[in-house]
Structure formats: structure tokens, C-alpha cells
Amino acid sequence: MTLTLTNIAKTFPGGTKALLPTDLEISKGEIVSLLGPSGCGKSTLLRIIAGLETPDAGAKIVFDGEDVTHQSVETRKIGMVFQSYALFPNMSVRGNIGYGLKMQRLPRAEIDSRVNEVIALCRLDAYADRSITALSGGQRQRVALARAMAPRPRVLLLDEPLSALDAALRGQLRDELALLLRQFGITAIFVTHDQDEAMAIADRVAVMSQGEVAQIGTPEVLYRNPATGFVARFVGDAMPLEGRIEADRLHLRGGVLALPKPADGSEVLVRAEDIRIDPEGPVSARVETVTFLGTHYRIALGGLAEGPLFALHTGLSAPKPGEDVRLSIASEALLILPRGLAA
Amino acid sequence: MKSVTKSIPLIVTLLACAFLLIPIIQSVLAGLTVNYFRGLSSGLTLKWVGQVWELYSGSIFLSIWLALACLVVTLILGVPAAYALARNPGRASRILEEFISLPLAIPGLALALALLQLYGTLQGFRTSWSFILVGHVLYTLPFMVRSVLSVLAAIDLKSLEEGAASLGAGPARRFFDIVVPNALPGILAGALTVVTLSIGEFNLTWMLHTPYLKTLPVGLADSYASMRLEVASAYTLVFFVMIVPLLIAMQWASARAQRIVQ
């Protein structure tokens, strides 16, 4: 299904603008993630698409050419996975999964066969007749997905579906969910505050901040070409290099870096993995702390620029705290972004 | 020393139990002895129980009928009211909840007087059992609403309903498929409370009843006032037999509902 959102905004009673006018187009079978910190409007946007919130006047929501802006949630034929899962405790796993089909008044035999189909796909065979309260968090999450998918919705909406799980399980279920969504081949919108989750699951990610979409694109585009300082910070934890810019030169406390182009009035950011310890490097810094993390060392650097800076260092050994080191940063790794959008 | 500090609470408890139980046992025995003033030596009999049945079976059936009618009305009014209060938490709901509970704070006598003043002149209504029913519903409704509300407040009702709506369930389906089944422990606890209170209610009923409409407790007062002591005691026995199983069931249902709330 193709989803077209035009001029979607939400002002709460009292005047708080949860969502500024937003346009978004999602093509058939695409998985889009709405990524942002809490309060950025991502859940509000999802709930408006679901029909659980009413947008401000002037909005238009179109599912495959059909205007559903004024349809209620129960007639929109959407599937939704809630943060709390919202499974019905008074029904078994099978009862939960079959509920949407029962609402469609399908014949009993068809309900049974379709429920069995989804149960098999989500590997819930062993739990089909259990009560919801007897399931683990991961199993509940799969039941919630199966329940949303069984009625074959036009679009699947997921609201932080992994956030109720503990960290170890979350990583495993993230990959599983990505795989299942692709098997279903469904158009899906996925709300999360976790960049790893968004990147692992989505075809395209819309980064949201303060009620607006700051940038939308594939994970690679967002990572390599962030449009704003906010996106660079949120996706891949870019750190600002505060200093004085003169044409294509960045004057830092620890030396001068060459920029790929004149950047007066801009902001320069860098990611930890792009800062290299290099005896021939043009800038210097003092090692403050060194944390060994198995695959790499995380080194806190002082004296290079204002604010905290970290370098990600691989290798068999690392400099000691208190040592002075020389650093190099490839000029193409520097992110030069307009200032003032750092929100 | 230790055994003394331990045994004092036990003795106090036993004394308190005896204080409560001895009059009950005495009353029950009085209803079963041939002549109370001659004591147990006069022999045991079921004659008095039989006489209570002959004289007051109408009261017993009226009380059961009233309790069931009261239950039906409190279910129809109370469950949707509790649902509406749970779905719209806020100042207005809190005030409304207090209003529903107001009849608990007002003496039954005052409530009955108000009803009599307002509706006493409506002849057909004044002499009908439904007049007493109105009083019982006023008095028992808060128990139903509170019991259901506490269970509904403990579950994530909003999300559950949104989940059902996203699967295509309209408001009526959501109410009967999701709200009612998940509120069932609260409804059951409320229902048993309503029935027990309705059967035992005296204050209000005594003011509202007519000579042709005597409920169980009103009949009891009547029998103590105008029958021999053995008959009145046998009446108490009948009352016990009816109310004690209800009380036990109520305890069980409330404990069950409480587990959900916690």
C-alpha cells in the first residue's frame, strides 16, 4: 500500500504543538522508521496515521488513493503493535490472534486456518493455547505482531515495539522482527528512539526533532550526509569540533585542521571512529581516560577542542591516560553543517 | 515470662470471640428449643422454624426478589458508570464518584424520608415493591461502582481498547469483549456485596415498607416485637442461613478482585 501524508499537524488543547505540518510519502512494502528523542512528535504522528488521534484541520491521510482522514481507527484496516502490546488478558494466544478476523465476520474455518498460518510464521505453535499471562516478554511481542498481522492490514504501525524488553533480548528480537516484516512484505511504520533499531529494521529513517522531520533517507545517507547538526548527533553520535573557522582552515586549541571547503559560519562535527592516533597528525590532544571495550578502546581526549571528545581506537594497545598524542582526521570525514539547527 | 506475653493476646482474642459468638449460639438454640424459659431440658424442635416459614415466607421471597432486582439495576447502571469514570479520569469524574457515594454518608432514615417526601404521594408507586427497590439501589450502587472501578483502574484499559479498535472492534464490541470480561472479578465482588446489603438492609426499608411489603429484616423486627421469643429466634436462624453463605462468597470474590488491583 502507498501511504501519502499531507500537512499533518497536531496542536494539543492548551496550545502545545506536538507536531508541526508534516508531509510524508511511503511506498508499497517499504519499512519506514520514525526516529527521535521522546517528545519529538513521532508517536503522535503514528497515532494520527492509526486514527487514534485527530490531526489539526487541513490534514490529509491517503491510503492507496483512498482518503481516510476522517475514518475511525476501526475502519482504517491498519495493524498496530503497541509499546505495552495491549494483549487481551481474557483471551488465549489464539483468541488474541483471531480477534481481528472475528471482527471481519469470517467463517470459523477460515479464521482457524489463517490464525494457524500466522502462528506458524511467528513460531508460536508451542504457545497457541496458553494464556497471555503465561508468556515471556519476547513471546508477548511476537503474539502482538501476529495479532496485528492476522487480519492482513493495509499498513502495520509499530510503537516502540522492543522497548519493553531487556537489552539482551532486544538485539535478538530486532533482527527477528526485521526478517518477519520482510517476510510479510507489508508497508510498515516503526517508531523508535533507538538509532540501532531504526537502522537495523527500516529501509528509510525519518529523524524527528521538536515536532518536525529533520531529515528522511536511507540509514547510509543519514549517517554519511546528515542534513543538520541534530541528525549528525542523533545518528552516529557526531561530536562538535568547536574552534575558529577561517575559510578552509579550522583553528582548534590543539592545532589546525584543513577543511575540504571554505566553511565560514558553519559547524564542524566528527565521529569517534574518524579520529585517528597518528604520530604525523596535524593536531594534538591529551588522553584523559581509556576504556577497553573488547573490540576497541574508547579514549576521552582533552585539549583539542571545547567540550568532550572521544576517539575509537582499535589495535593491541592504547596510549595511557595523561599522555599527549597527535591525531589526524581525514578531511572527508569532517561533517560541515549549517549552524543554528543544532536543536 | 515469654509464655505469658504470648498467651495474653490469645486470651483476649478468645474472649472477644466468645463475646460475639455466645449470643449467636444462644439465639440459635433459642430458636430450636421447645420452651426457652425452661431451657434445653424442654427438648429441641423445628416447630418454630416451621412457624416462621408459615408466617414470613412472603418476606423471604420479597427480599430475594428485591435483592435480585437491585442487582440487575446496579449492574445496568453501575458497570457502564464505572467504565465511563475509568475512561475519563479527571476532576469532574472524581466529583461524580463522590456524588454516587453520597448515599453512604447519609443515614438511611434521612434518605427514606427524602424519598417519602418526594414520591410518597404517588399512590401506585408508594405501595409498590419498586419504591423499596429505589431505596436499595441508591444505597448499594456506590458499592458496585467502586468495586468495578478499582479493577478497571488497575488494568491498562485505554491501550486494551485501542488494541481492540485497531483490530476493527467498534465501541459496543469493545465494551462487551474487552471491558466486561476484564472487569469480571470486580463485577462479581460488587454483585455479591449488593445482594448481601440488599437482603440485610433495615434502616431505609423499615421507613419505606408497607404492611404488605415486609422484607426479611423488617419481618425480623416485627417478629421480635409481636411473637414469642422462640419464633423470633428461629427467624434469626433462617436469616443466618441465608446471609452467611453470601457473606463468605463476598469475602472470596473481594479477595480475588483485590489480587488484580495489586
Side-chain angles (χ1 to χ4, degrees):
Chain A
M1 188 200 73
T2 316
L3 181 78
T4 315
L5 304 174
T6 321
N7 199 24
I8 309 291
K10 176 78 185 176
T11 311
F12 280 118
T16 316
K17 292 202 184 302
L19 189 65
L20 299 168
T22 299
D23 296 337
L24 192 62
E25 178 129 9
I26 296 170
S27 43
K28 188 174 185 307
E30 195 181 20
I31 301 172
V32 170
S33 172
L34 306 178
L35 172 68
S38 57
C40 72
K42 57 191 192 301
S43 283
T44 305
L45 180 55
L46 191 81
R47 289 173 63 82
I48 288 173
I49 299 168
L52 294 169
E53 301 278 358
T54 320
D56 294 348
K60 200 169 169 196
I61 304 164
V62 177
F63 287 3
D64 260 344
E66 183 192 347
D67 187 343
V68 299
T69 316
H70 302 289
Q71 277 184 20
S72 67
V73 53
E74 56 260 37
T75 52
R76 279 193 195 184
K77 296 204 193 91
I78 53 122
M80 185 137 179
V81 176
F82 293 82
Q83 187 169 9
S84 63
Y85 309 140
L87 297 173
F88 310 135
N90 57 313
M91 298 177 198
S92 66
V93 168
R94 194 179 284 281
N96 268 275
I97 297 174
Y99 189 74
L101 299 168
K102 217 171 92 186
M103 291 304 106
Q104 293 180 355
R105 297 175 191 285
L106 295 180
R108 183 85 223 175
E110 192 178 345
I111 293 181
D112 285 344
S113 80
R114 276 173 62 176
V115 167
N116 286 335
E117 195 183 304
V118 184
I119 281 177
L121 245 172
C122 295
R123 293 185 290 104
L124 285 163
D125 312 75
Y127 318 104
D129 295 303
R130 287 215 193 153
S131 113
I132 295 302
T133 46
L135 300 182
S136 71
Q139 290 159 355
R140 283 178 204 211
Q141 201 260 333
R142 288 213 298 273
V143 176
L145 180 67
R147 184 179 74 173
M149 285 308 300
R152 296 182 188 155
R154 300 196 276 190
V155 58
L156 182 66
L157 308 170
L158 305 105
D159 191 1
E160 303 256 10
L162 300 169
S163 66
L165 303 167
D166 54 60
L169 202 57
R170 208 180 303 147
Q172 183 198 335
L173 283 179
R174 182 185 72 199
D175 301 340
E176 207 175 280
L177 185 62
L179 198 69
L180 266 176
L181 290 180
R182 297 226 152 55
Q183 275 176 4
F184 283 123
I186 188 158
T187 310
I189 304 173
F190 177 95
V191 161
T192 180
H193 62 269
D194 181 323
Q195 52 147 323
D196 294 338
E197 240 170 75
M199 288 178 136
I201 293 176
D203 298 315
R204 276 197 302 158
V205 178
V207 182
M208 294 185 69
S209 159
Q210 298 187 340
E212 278 186 295
V213 174
Q215 188 179 5
I216 180 161
T218 62
E220 286 96 336
V221 166
L222 291 179
Y223 194 85
R224 303 215 167 104
N225 299 307
T228 70
F230 173 79
V231 175
R233 285 176 174 87
F234 204 79
V235 180
D237 302 311
M239 304 162 291
L241 283 171
E242 294 291 350
R244 185 167 45 84
I245 299 172
E246 274 172 14
D248 60 354
R249 295 232 141 333
L250 174 59
H251 297 267
L252 297 165
R253 267 165 59 192
V256 179
L257 275 177
L259 299 175
K261 59 181 183 190
D264 294 288
S266 300
E267 183 182 28
V268 179
L269 297 101
V270 68
R271 290 203 173 87
E273 62 267 36
D274 294 322
I275 301 179
R276 263 175 226 301
I277 293 172
D278 174 2
E280 313 289 301
V283 291
S284 67
R286 176 179 297 266
V287 174
E288 285 178 346
T289 60
V290 177
T291 315
F292 179 56
L293 293 166
T295 56
H296 63 271
Y297 296 89
R298 182 178 154 88
I299 300 174
L301 299 166
L304 176 59
E306 302 299 323
L309 273 178
F310 294 95
L312 190 158
H313 175 73
T314 51
L316 294 175
S317 67
K320 302 270 169 296
E323 261 177 60
D324 285 319
V325 287
R326 294 206 70 82
L327 305 164
S328 67
I329 303 171
S331 74
E332 62 272 17
L334 294 169
L335 303 163
I336 298 168
L337 296 165
R339 203 174 267 282
L341 290 165
Chain B
M1 196 57 205
K2 203 171 182 187
S3 64
V4 173
T5 49
K6 252 188 183 171
S7 55
I8 285 175
L10 182 69
I11 291 166
V12 171
T13 308
L14 286 177
L15 280 175
C17 286
F19 182 75
L20 293 169
L21 282 174
I22 287 171
I24 296 174
I25 294 165
Q26 207 176 11
S27 175
V28 167
L29 282 176
L32 295 172
T33 44
V34 174
N35 187 323
Y36 179 68
F37 298 100
R38 275 174 38 215
L40 277 176
S41 57
S42 63
L44 292 170
T45 176
L46 281 174
K47 187 173 91 180
W48 309 123
V49 176
Q51 218 171 70
V52 167
W53 185 255
E54 250 169 61
L55 287 165
Y56 293 106
S57 61
S59 290
I60 294 171
F61 289 123
L62 177 66
S63 267
I64 292 172
W65 169 251
L66 267 175
L68 292 178
C70 185
L71 174 61
V72 170
V73 176
T74 49
L75 280 175
I76 293 172
L77 294 177
V79 178
Y83 168 64
L85 290 173
R87 269 319 296 270
N88 305 292
R91 233 178 123 74
S93 290
R94 298 292 310 160
I95 293 171
L96 212 63
E97 200 189 325
E98 292 311 315
F99 257 110
I100 294 174
S101 307
L102 214 52
L104 294 180
I106 299 169
L109 277 174
L111 215 58
L113 270 173
L115 283 174
L116 281 169
Q117 270 178 349
L118 214 58
Y119 305 114
T121 50
L122 299 173
Q123 269 313 307
F125 185 43
R126 171 69 188 91
T127 53
S128 144
W129 59 270
S130 55
F131 193 51
I132 300 174
L133 177 65
V134 170
H136 280 204
V137 168
L138 266 178
Y139 174 56
T140 55
L141 189 62
F143 292 94
M144 178 64 87
V145 172
R146 295 223 151 164
S147 175
V148 178
L149 190 57
S150 67
V151 169
L152 287 182
I155 55 180
D156 187 2
L157 192 62
K158 184 166 171 262
S159 289
L160 288 182
E161 273 208 77
E162 286 181 352
S166 76
L167 293 164
R173 287 307 299 255
R174 299 202 292 267
F175 184 74
F176 288 107
D177 288 352
I178 308 301
V179 179
V180 170
N182 287 302
L184 216 51
I187 295 174
L188 188 64
L192 283 161
T193 312
V194 164
V195 169
T196 312
L197 286 175
S198 170
I199 287 184
E201 210 297 316
F202 177 72
N203 271 339
L204 247 161
T205 321
W206 187 71
M207 288 292 285
L208 298 179
H209 85 278
T210 70
Y212 302 102
L213 289 170
K214 280 186 202 153
T215 65
L216 210 56
V218 174
L220 185 63
D222 185 81
S223 71
Y224 270 103
S226 55
M227 297 287 151
R228 54 184 298 173
L229 190 61
E230 289 87 345
V231 175
S233 299
Y235 199 127
T236 312
L237 182 60
V238 171
F239 194 87
F240 266 160
V241 168
M242 288 185 63
I243 214 90
V244 168
L246 274 172
L247 275 175
I248 291 169
M250 190 175 100
Q251 284 290 336
W252 167 80
S254 302
R256 210 167 139 250
Q258 209 57 40
R259 272 207 299 279
I260 288 184
V261 172
Q262 274 154 11

